[in-house]
Amino acid sequence: MSTTAYINTAMKHTILQYNTDGFHHGSDYFNTVTTNVDYALFQRLPIEDELSGPNIAEIHLERSISRSQYCSYIGITRFNGKSKFESCESFDLPSSDLARATKDDTQGSKALCTRIDKIQYCSVLPTFPNGFEGGSITSNDTLKDIEFLLNKLKHHNCIIAGDFHHKPGDFPELDNLIKESGFTSYLDQYDTFHHPEGNTFNLDRMISNISGLSVSNISVHQPTVPSKHLAITYDVTY
């Protein structure tokens, strides 16, 4: 038996997802990518005040790691004229203690979820492996964070967006977890990250378990000098 619930009323929204890397691309880029969108799912916002403006109607923000003063924020934003948030809850993911101990402001282990039109929209920043920095966090810790969240949400219609820290195909355990939990990954073919060495690939995923979900008009927004994570917009119809 399928665990995916079904919904009857067709809805269409334009979504922005963006790991800002501490507002790395600046205000002009941010203002551009937040134009003509309905909802935004953010990771690594540097401070709460970055989310202000005449078109922003409602914001939910939380630290990417609970009880940490070092980390940035994750957030969900509603723009003017769009359906109000029906609820909001957050989840501390299993690796939060490991992430907090690093005192790294780019780390995370948190998911923030908001209900809109009977759908759970979720912004997530799981922990990322830091062995290249001499740390002890591994890919399995990332996997545990995502598995925890999917187990929480797999019986609800949901859209989950965030930095999964692994290229599609490079970590089969993660790809299998997504599929076996009843989710489809929609952005795998889009290069959303520019590595300092110059190569590009996908790290920012949007996954959903909504039956019949249509994802269209996908655009990766290029700044003047592309680097690190880029903003992605797309239309979802369900």
Side-chain angles (χ1 to χ4, degrees):
M1 179 181 295
S2 172
T3 59
T4 303
Y6 288 86
I7 51 181
N8 298 317
T9 302
M11 299 295 296
K12 181 178 180 180
H13 299 302
T14 299
I15 306 299
L16 163 68
Q17 74 173 79
Y18 181 25
N19 178 344
T20 79
D21 278 322
F23 230 53
H24 176 69
H25 295 299
S27 297
D28 289 344
Y29 180 82
F30 186 84
N31 291 337
T32 297
V33 301
T34 54
T35 300
N36 297 322
V37 298
D38 300 333
Y39 300 96
L41 306 173
F42 293 109
Q43 303 86 41
R44 290 190 185 138
L45 283 165
I47 57 174
E48 294 182 8
D49 292 343
E50 299 295 358
L51 276 181
S52 61
N55 295 322
I56 294 176
E58 190 173 4
I59 306 166
H60 288 311
L61 289 169
E62 287 205 15
R63 290 278 190 179
S64 299
I65 309 168
S66 62
R67 304 188 307 282
S68 171
Q69 298 303 311
Y70 298 96
C71 64
S72 55
Y73 291 84
I74 59 173
I76 302 178
T77 301
R78 174 175 69 87
F79 293 85
N80 287 331
K82 307 308 172 185
S83 299
K84 292 183 178 181
F85 296 150
E86 299 170 17
S87 63
C88 186
E89 63 179 330
S90 62
F91 300 106
D92 292 335
L93 303 180
S95 301
S96 58
D97 289 342
L98 293 173
R100 187 182 308 107
T102 68
K103 296 185 179 180
D104 181 348
D105 64 356
T106 66
Q107 271 288 2
S109 189
K110 176 68 70 73
L112 182 63
C113 302
T114 298
R115 191 179 182 195
I116 305 165
D117 301 327
K118 301 181 181 179
I119 301 295
Q120 292 284 349
Y121 283 77
C122 185
S123 177
V124 61
L125 186 65
T127 194
F128 64 84
N130 64 353
F132 65 94
E133 299 173 332
S136 60
I137 297 176
T138 69
S139 293
N140 284 332
D141 295 310
T142 308
L143 189 70
K144 290 175 184 176
D145 279 1
I146 297 171
E147 182 177 25
F148 177 90
L149 181 62
L150 298 191
N151 283 336
K152 284 284 187 181
L153 296 181
K154 66 183 180 181
H155 298 296
H156 305 273
N157 284 297
C158 58
I159 289 172
I160 301 172
D163 178 4
F164 280 33
H165 309 307
H166 295 80
K167 294 184 288 185
D170 275 9
F171 189 17
E173 292 87 348
L174 176 57
D175 296 330
N176 291 338
L177 171 66
I178 292 170
K179 293 177 182 178
E180 291 169 2
S181 300
F183 287 80
T184 300
S185 186
Y186 286 91
L187 304 179
D188 290 3
Q189 304 305 313
Y190 292 83
D191 292 338
T192 65
F193 184 82
H194 281 248
H195 193 274
E197 295 180 357
N199 51 326
T200 61
F201 44 84
N202 176 277
L203 290 180
D204 303 271
R205 300 203 196 185
M206 188 278 276
I207 65 174
S208 179
N209 62 351
I210 299 174
S211 178
L213 178 71
S214 172
V215 182
S216 59
N217 297 323
I218 300 171
S219 179
V220 180
H221 295 262
Q222 301 294 327
T224 303
V225 181
S227 61
K228 297 189 175 183
H229 290 271
L230 306 180
I232 313 104
T233 54
Y234 43 84
D235 295 337
V236 293
T237 306
Y238 46 79

